[in-house]
Each structure stands twice: as structure tokens, then as C-alpha cells.
Amino acid sequence: MAEIAALPRPGPAGPIDSPDALLAYERSLDCVHCGLCLPKCPTYLLTGREPSSPRGRIYLMRSWAEGRIAASERLSAELDFCLVCRACETVCPAGVRFGEMMEHARDEIGRARPDRAAGGFPRRFLLHFLLPSRSRMRRALALLRLYSFPPLRALLRPLLPKELRRREALLPRVPARLARLPELTPAQVGRRGRVAILRGCVTESLLPETTRATAAVLARNGWEVVAPEEPPCCGALHAHFGEIERAQALAKATIAAYEASGAETMVVDSAGCGSVMKEYGALLARDPAWKGRAVYFASRVRDVCEFLVERGFEPPARELRARVAYADACHLLHAQRVSSPPREVLRSIPGLTLVPLPETELCCGAAGIYTITNPETSRALLDRKVEILRKVRPDYLANGNPGCLLHYAAGLRGEGLPTNAVHPVELLAKAYEAPGR
Amino acid sequence: MTASPLVRDLLRMLEPDGVLCEPEDLLVYECDGLALFRATPEAVVLPRSTEQVAGVVRFCAARGVPIVARGAGTGLSGGATPAPGGIVLELARMNRILDVDAEDRTAHVETGLVNADLSAAVRSKGLFYAPDPSSQFASTIGGNVAENSGGPHGFKYGQTVRHVLGLTVVLNDGSVARIGGPNAENPGYDLVGVFVGSEGTFGIATEAWLRLTPIPPFVETLLFSFRSLLDGCRAVSEMVAAGVEAAALEMLDDRTIAAIEASVYAAGYPKEVGAVLLVELDGTREEVEAQAREARSIAKRCGALATSEAVEEAERARLWKGRKSAFGAMGRIAPDLYVQDAVVPRSRIAEVLAKIGAIADRHRLRLANVFHAGDGNLHPNLSYDARDADEVRRVLQAGEEMLRACVEAGGSLSGEHGIGLEKRDFMGLLFTEADLEAMGRVRRAFDPQGVFNPGKVLPLRACRERVPAPAEEPVAP
Ligand SMILES: Cc1cc2nc3c(=O)[nH]c(=O)nc-3n(C[C@H](O)[C@H](O)[C@H](O)COP(=O)(O)OP(=O)(O)OC[C@H]3O[C@@H](n4cnc5c(N)ncnc54)[C@H](O)[C@@H]3O)c2cc1C
Ligand code: SF4
Ligand code: SF4
């Protein structure tokens, strides 16, 4: 039998000339191969396969950067299978920066294999066509709203092929009227300063209640709120899916809009957007003209609950009797390490009971456009959540990320469960308004 | 990709996603927690049942295809490194808890179950699974059984072998045998004792009956800081001598503390001290308080700089998570980490630590120490870069010298990480030819053809894998 000897590891075959590959390579060296991240990774939990674990993916990225494997179909499929939920970062004692590594590796491999792009046409349509333009987004959502009209949907749905019908079940329902937020909401009590909020590419139309609640809660606590019309999108999904150049362009537009707004803090009610904005410094690190501005901007970004707790907020005086389960959004818990502020906000509401929810650190499968790119896995993770919620049966499921809220809502709707998926600030806003509703 | 005949046959026994054979997939299985040893398998199989395991084993054994079992691949001695030309049998999908008997305090589980998941599942019944390797949030019961893993609390509760009542094992002809059983007393040969610690060379364990332990009514974790490891070691010796019945006695040096405090597991250990000693006491409140008084006065006598204690569960968990992430946290210092695992009599810890420090210096290597002080199980950690061939050579050389120093002091080759590939050729330091031959005979009784984890644990001569005449087999270097 062949003997296995202890061998040094060959480094890269030659110089790594692409900055993306080099960055992924350097990050991959932080991993000591201890395996502690395995059981926290949703794709490993579902499959038990090492290549679908964080350690396995890092090994693949490292081996690819070293030239041991090519940018093959199998490699890009495995990278696309990752939810970039970053649960692996929260448990990694070596401080591996997995998200950053993955974004850059995807970008580089995407360029080497233009044919790959999991999610195909729907993904490109969304990332390249809809998200970068607010007017196109609005028109698309108007169409979707039309489709959400029950009689029409009942008529059209049976005509869809089976494959599409399953995806259709996860389509968000668009609320009846578009609530346009004014560009400026004045502070309700003694003005403490001005903050900017994000209209968001989808939140404003799909979850108008959330954006409105965010503005209302801030105003109620003495903040003047600006909501700039542009840019249409912060580039979070683009960065996430390794479309770095597009993400960079949107990041610059977001920074410029913030600078022009005269706000002291950028307050974000979308965990996914907040996490990318807090990392603009890294995203624009190679652009000397923007680096400094990006780093400063990133330091001014706060999740809305984080902001409320940090700067102090008025606990509601009136009761809101409800059982609420808080589900961590990956991009809040793992990417931003924000876990107690949303809970503090909820606990401040008299009459509200915060019920424990198992597996709250596990991804729900929404993960940006993962519902489009990997519908099966997305569904499997959602089913797992719904199963737990069926047992816990809270009145509200609170979560700080629009994508997750829509995903949970689809799952709850499908099962006919009485639970409503809401952002924590919506409950706070409700408590401020109570009674009378 | 066109499947090899082996893969086609395996596919007949498992579902399509239960066999991996693409080069990218095989690549990531080339090593376990000790990445210095690497070899590519022919295929990886992921069975879901004992029957599937038996089918795969019967098939492979009949064709002489080597089989290497794998749990979470956190092993640190190369135990799960594939055998060239063989398959990796990954048990991660067999992770169900089949039954818990709270009254008899036993659990019946599949061996791919993650250690910490068992404790979490039986917690509401006031029970826990005592063996707590620092890798417990990832490593599997099967891996723990194969390595006879210990952990900080092994000092009081003993290593894995004391907590295994029975096993379902797949033997090398594909037959399924139960050894031991759900009860504490099993007549006949103690095959469980033989199997535990066999490092995947006797067969594949697919199910286990495990002993559960009642959660002690009161637990307190004391943290003492010292100017030096030496002072700390003295305190440990005196505590043990004075009859302080600690559940765990763990020591961390300044470099380990710095690495942990820079990580997400920052536990609030005091910085700028030479060493930290964690002492955990459990039992009734009165017992714990009396022992804590004793421990405090001894620590003070031995020059403790500061003391703090934690009773709250969350606070204690934080102190332990810090300790248990030490290995990973060291990853911040250099790309790779080598953890030596050796045992010395408690009375000689200080002396051996000094030698270990000198060895690291001589080889220009960065050393950090973290160890189970209660049972003299040392873990010198060497940071290095696996791409630097000279540094790799120095690490291996230093590792060997450290082992020799431990054995010379009357110690042993491994406390808990096993022999695997890494220490196979050092077995001669501790055992005579006759000793090794006795072990080889037991191994051949289980696996005459040498299909299970070949090339591991015993020097090639002693295990006589597929070689009928031992005298003709060259002695491995
Ligand atoms: C951060 C870290 C901390 C650690 N701390 C400790 C510690 O405190 N104490 C300690 O003892 N160890 C420790 N270890 C070492 C390691 O975690 C243990 O050896 C563990 O038991 C390995 O389990 P695994 O599931 O990862 O097994 P693997 O690494 O996958 O396999 C280990 C061995 O077991 C065999 N095996 C696996 N499953 C089976 C099965 N079902 N049937 C038969 N053979 C099988 C394999 O062939 C291999 O030889 C640590 C490792 C790391 C990375
Ligand atoms: S926990 Fe961190 S260091 Fe350990 S294997 Fe995972 S990524 Fe690597
Ligand atoms: S980001 Fe999430 S899915 Fe991807 S490897 Fe890490 S834990 Fe797994």
C-alpha cells in the first residue's frame, strides 16, 4: 500500500495576478481546518457533505486560487449552493472572513465562466435590469400587484407549468396601495438631529409598513428623517452574488446620496443592506478616490434597532398584548453581530411576551435571491422553520430583514398558520399608536 | 464525468447523492484536522442506515478496497486521512437520536450524531453526556468512540470509554454485530472496551448506547491567574494532593489567552498574566463551597495574582467556550497549527514544560501551551505555515522531540487525539515488539485483510497488513 507522508502544502503554482483571486486566497489562509463551523452551516446540515460545508468551500477556494482545480462547473455550483448566511463567521475562532472571500471568489469565477450564473435568466433580469432602476422596479411591482389580485391569480395559476407553480407559491404578495414615503419626515418631539433612511429596492413597495414604521419610530424619538429618492438599490444583492463592479457603482451612488442628505447617521431597516453598507470600506478598498469616503460612510451605518438602543428611545406607555418570536436575520446576527438590540426593543413593549424560538441562528433560506437560484434548498430551509413555528405558534414572527420577512410570510401563508411576519419596529410603532386599533 | 466501475457499483447501494466522485469533491476529503497528511480517495459514500454501511463494507472488503470511516473530520492525528485507492465512509447523515431512557439514564444514538447535540437534547431531563472534547460542537459520537476522546471534564468523569455501554458495529465481512448493549452489565468479553479507541481499524460503529449523567445541582467555575505556568502547575499539584475533587483543571498560557481574547470567543480572561487556571467544581452547594475555599487558599499560597468565580450558567459557558476555541483561535497567528498531544505524570509537568519550551526555541517555532492540568495531558501548540517546507520539517522534528521528552518522563504518546498516521511510527518508543505484535493480533482478528483504515495506528510491521510473513516486511522508518 502506498505510504502517506507528512508533506508541506504546495503554494500557488505561479503568481496570482487577479486581485479578486488573491484576496480570496489570502482570506482562505486564515482557516485552520478545525471543523467547528460545520454543524452551523445550513447546507452541511442538509447534506452532510464536506464540500458543502464552510471548511470545504474554503478548501475549494484555496485550491482554486492555487491552481489545483479549475473554475469548473462543479466548483461554481458548490459556491452558488452557499447561502452566504455567514453563520460560519460567527462560530469561527480563527476569525475567517468568509463572506468577503466568497464574494470575490464568485466574482472571479463568474468572469471565468459566464455560462454559470445559477438562477439563469431570472437572476440576470433582477440584478441587471430591475434593481438598478427605481422606475422599472415600480412598474414590475405594479404588474406583480395586479397578479396578486386573487381572482386573476386563481385564473392564471393553473396555466403555469408545474415547476413554475412551485416557485410561484414563494412569490411575494404586493400590498394594494403603494404608500409613498415623503422625502422628509419632521421630528415629532424636540429635534435631536437628522438621520437618513433607505427606501430600499423592494421594501418600499413590498413592505411599505416597515419603511413607514421605521420613519415613524425615528420621528417619534426626536429624529428628522430623510428618505432620498435615489439611489434605487444599495448593491447588496449584487455584492452577495459576486457582481462586484455593479455593486461598487451602486455603493458610490448610495454614499453620494447620504453625503448630500446632511444626515448624521444612515439608519437601515434591512439587515442585508445594512451589512453590505457597513462593509463598503472593503468593497471600495481598491478605489483610492472612494476608499476614505466609503470607510467613513460605513462607520455611520446603523441597524434601526441598534440605533434606537444606542441612542436611547422612549419605551411605549401602552400595552401590546401579543406572543412574539424573534428570528435572527443572518445578516444582522452573523454579518453585523447585532443580536440583543432587536430583542431589547421588543422587550420594551409592555404586555408583549418574547417566546423562545429554537434554531434561530439558522438561515431561513431567503438569502437574497437564493429562492430563485436554489429553490429546493430554499424551500427545505423554510419548511424547517415553518415546522418549528407550527409548534411555537406565536402571534408575530419578528425579523429584521425584508427578504426573510417575505420568505417567512410565504411559508406561513402556505401552511395557513395565524402568525404574522413583521419587523420589530412595526411592533414598536404599533405600541406607540395603541390603543385605537 | 464517467463513473468508474467502483462508483457505479456503489451507486447501486446508495441514493444518487450518497456517492461523491468528482475531483472537486474528493479533494476536500483529502485530510482531516491534521492537514499535513493528505491522500485522495476514489469515492466518498454517505450512507443513511446500518444496512447501507454493511452493504458497502461487504462489497469493498470482498474486492480489497480500503475503507476509512469519517465523522466530522476534526481528528488531529490523521485518523480520517483517506487510504489511496480506497473509499471514505462518511457517517454525518446517520445522526439520529433513536431513544432516550431518562430513568435508566441511557441514550441510543446513531454514531454520526454531533456530541453536543446529545447533551442539548437531554438537558430538559436534567441529564448530560459527560465526555466533552473541545471539539464537541462539531465532532461525532463515532469519532469520539474511535479516538476514546477526553475533554476538560474527563478529569472527573473519565474519557469516552467510561460512557459507552454498547455498540452496533459493521465487521469486515459486512456482518452486523452488537457488542455490549443497553445495560450496564454485559456478560462475556468486554468487546466495547476493545473497540473504543480502535481508531476505525476494527470496524464501523453505526449505533451506540451511551451512559447519561445527571446535571450536578451546583457548579462553580473558578479562574485563577498566575505570573507563570510554573506557579499554576504548583497550585494544581497541591489541589490534587489536598483532595480538591475538581471536575476540570485547565491551564492556558499567555499566548493562548491573547489569541482567544482576540477572537469571537473572548472570554474576559485577564491579559498580561503568565497563565490562567480554570477550576470547575460541581456537587451540592455545601461541597462546592468547601472545595472552593480550599482551592482559593491553595492558589493564594502558590502566588495567584487574581481570582474570580462564575456560578451563572451563561458566564460559565463563556469561560469554557473561550477555552474550547483555543485551537481555532490560534489560527489567527499563522496559517497552520500543529497540536501535540502527550501525557506526563502530574508531578513532572513543570519540568517537561521547560523542556518543551527549549525544544520550540531551538527549532525557532512559536509555541503556546494549553492543557488538561488535572491529568497531565499536555497540548503544546506550534504555529507554522504549511507552505514553508523547512518550517514543516522543523515542526515535525520538534513534535517528535517533545514526545520523546514526555515518554522519558514516564508519560505516554497520546492523551486523547489518538495515534493515527502521525504517531504510528513512534509506537516503538512506548511498546516492545511483543507488545505491538499482541495488538496486531487483535487487529487481525477483527480485520485479517486490513481493509479498515490501513496504514494507521500500528507500525506496518506489527499489523502485517496483507503481508503473511512479518519478517519480510521492512520496518517503517
Ligand atoms: C478544535 C479541536 C479541539 C479538539 N479537542 C479535543 C479534546 O478536547 N479531546 C479530544 O479527545 N480530542 C479533541 N480533538 C480531536 C478530535 O475532535 C477528536 O478526536 C474527535 O473525537 C474526532 O471526531 P470526528 O467525528 O471529527 O472524527 P474524525 O476525525 O472524522 O475521525 C476520527 C477517527 O475516527 C474514525 N471514525 C470516525 N467515525 C467512526 C465510526 N463511526 N466507526 C469507526 N471509526 C470511526 C475515523 O476513521 C478516524 O480514524 C479536537 C479537535 C479539534 C479540531
Ligand atoms: S471554524 Fe473557521 S478555522 Fe475552523 S474550519 Fe471553520 S472556517 Fe476554518
Ligand atoms: S455562508 Fe452559510 S451556507 Fe455558506 S458556508 Fe457559511 S454557513 Fe454555510
Side-chain angles (χ1 to χ4, degrees), chain A residues 37 40-44 52-55 57 81-89 98-99 102 363:
Chain A
C37 50
K40 297 294 174 203
C41 170
T43 53
Y44 180 77
S52 306
S53 77
R55 180 176 63 179
R57 292 192 174 114
F81 187 38
C82 169
L83 296 130
V84 203
C85 66
R86 297 167 67 175
C88 43
E89 289 188 26
F98 186 89
M102 181 56 99
C363 182

XYZ file of all heavy atoms in Angstrom, chain A residues 37 40-44 52-55 57 81-89 98-99 102 363, ligand 3:
194
model
N -17.075 24.976 12.436
C -18.168 25.656 11.742
C -19.157 24.681 11.107
O -20.265 25.068 10.744
C -17.587 26.555 10.655
S -16.412 25.698 9.593
N -22.964 24.401 12.041
C -23.743 25.631 11.999
C -24.086 26.010 10.565
O -24.760 27.009 10.328
C -22.958 26.783 12.650
C -22.678 26.573 14.119
C -23.961 26.580 14.931
C -23.668 26.210 16.384
N -24.828 25.685 17.068
N -23.598 25.253 9.616
C -23.805 25.600 8.214
C -25.059 24.916 7.681
O -25.169 23.691 7.723
C -22.591 25.161 7.402
S -22.861 25.269 5.625
N -26.021 25.692 7.192
C -27.275 25.091 6.729
C -27.084 24.068 5.612
O -27.735 23.021 5.624
C -28.097 26.279 6.232
C -27.294 27.496 6.418
C -26.027 27.156 7.136
N -26.202 24.340 4.665
C -26.075 23.380 3.565
C -25.377 22.100 4.029
O -25.646 21.020 3.504
C -25.323 23.987 2.361
O -24.078 24.524 2.808
C -26.139 25.090 1.712
N -24.505 22.213 5.024
C -23.897 20.998 5.568
C -24.929 20.211 6.369
O -25.005 18.993 6.288
C -22.683 21.330 6.438
C -22.023 20.109 7.029
C -21.206 19.297 6.257
C -22.250 19.737 8.357
C -20.620 18.151 6.780
C -21.677 18.589 8.892
C -20.857 17.805 8.104
O -20.288 16.660 8.615
N -19.909 20.921 0.857
C -20.988 21.874 1.099
C -20.906 22.464 2.497
O -21.893 22.961 3.020
C -22.340 21.196 0.905
O -22.410 20.594 -0.367
N -19.736 22.393 3.113
C -19.529 22.990 4.436
C -18.617 24.192 4.268
O -17.946 24.331 3.243
C -18.849 21.976 5.356
O -17.465 21.880 5.043
N -18.564 25.071 5.264
C -17.670 26.236 5.161
C -16.207 25.811 4.964
O -15.513 26.317 4.082
C -17.844 26.933 6.503
C -19.138 26.425 7.059
C -19.354 25.066 6.502
N -15.790 24.842 5.787
C -14.404 24.403 5.682
C -14.124 23.841 4.290
O -13.072 24.110 3.692
C -14.136 23.332 6.753
C -12.736 22.786 6.748
C -12.499 21.807 7.878
N -13.348 20.623 7.779
C -13.324 19.605 8.633
N -12.495 19.636 9.664
N -14.123 18.575 8.480
N -15.726 24.582 1.473
C -15.748 25.650 0.459
C -14.471 26.474 0.507
O -13.942 26.880 -0.524
C -16.966 26.545 0.676
C -18.258 25.826 0.388
C -19.456 26.762 0.311
N -20.611 25.999 -0.115
C -21.687 25.759 0.640
N -21.773 26.268 1.861
N -22.682 25.036 0.182
N -24.239 27.218 -4.237
C -25.077 26.497 -3.280
C -25.005 27.159 -1.894
O -25.901 27.031 -1.072
C -24.592 25.044 -3.222
C -25.448 24.123 -2.404
C -26.836 24.235 -2.392
C -24.867 23.118 -1.648
C -27.619 23.372 -1.636
C -25.638 22.250 -0.891
C -27.009 22.376 -0.886
N -23.925 27.883 -1.645
C -23.725 28.573 -0.364
C -24.723 29.716 -0.250
O -24.936 30.460 -1.190
C -22.303 29.097 -0.299
S -21.981 30.226 1.049
N -25.320 29.872 0.926
C -26.303 30.936 1.130
C -25.649 32.271 1.492
O -26.323 33.295 1.595
C -27.265 30.555 2.250
C -28.156 29.329 2.003
C -28.073 28.369 3.172
C -29.592 29.743 1.782
N -24.333 32.227 1.716
C -23.608 33.395 2.256
C -24.355 33.967 3.473
O -24.489 35.170 3.635
C -23.348 34.491 1.204
C -22.149 35.355 1.630
C -23.035 33.890 -0.155
N -24.842 33.048 4.297
C -25.543 33.473 5.516
C -24.532 33.868 6.592
O -24.871 34.518 7.565
C -26.409 32.336 6.038
S -25.467 30.915 6.621
N -23.310 33.422 6.416
C -22.193 33.773 7.273
C -22.309 33.268 8.697
O -21.665 33.786 9.608
C -21.948 35.281 7.225
C -21.549 35.688 5.813
C -21.582 37.157 5.539
N -20.572 37.872 6.308
C -20.345 39.167 6.158
N -21.013 39.867 5.272
N -19.437 39.759 6.884
N -23.128 32.231 8.880
C -23.192 31.599 10.195
C -21.804 31.060 10.556
O -21.430 31.003 11.724
C -24.205 30.463 10.181
N -21.046 30.706 9.539
C -19.707 30.163 9.792
C -18.793 31.210 10.412
O -17.902 30.884 11.187
C -19.101 29.600 8.507
S -19.340 30.620 7.046
N -19.020 32.477 10.090
C -18.152 33.519 10.654
C -18.384 33.696 12.149
O -17.464 33.954 12.912
C -18.396 34.856 9.949
C -17.867 34.883 8.540
C -17.948 36.276 7.931
O -17.936 37.271 8.670
O -18.053 36.349 6.697
N -15.432 34.914 5.838
C -15.959 34.054 4.788
C -16.724 34.829 3.717
O -16.561 34.577 2.525
C -16.868 32.985 5.405
C -17.332 31.975 4.408
C -16.590 30.846 4.160
C -18.490 32.181 3.683
C -16.999 29.924 3.218
C -18.914 31.271 2.731
C -18.161 30.140 2.504
N -17.567 35.767 4.154
C -18.410 36.484 3.200
C -17.577 37.177 2.137
O -17.827 37.067 0.931
N -15.967 34.758 -0.249
C -16.919 34.176 -1.180
C -17.323 35.172 -2.269
O -17.383 34.822 -3.452
C -18.144 33.708 -0.392
C -19.203 33.051 -1.226
S -18.566 31.669 -2.157
C -19.052 30.312 -1.159
N -30.188 29.883 8.990
C -30.776 30.630 7.866
C -32.150 30.091 7.471
O -32.395 28.894 7.509
C -29.822 30.519 6.682
S -30.349 31.406 5.228
S -22.122 31.291 4.498
Fe -23.713 29.956 5.379
S -24.124 28.451 3.750
Fe -22.200 29.456 3.200
S -20.608 28.140 4.071
Fe -21.037 29.712 5.628
S -22.596 28.795 6.959
Fe -22.543 27.567 5.064
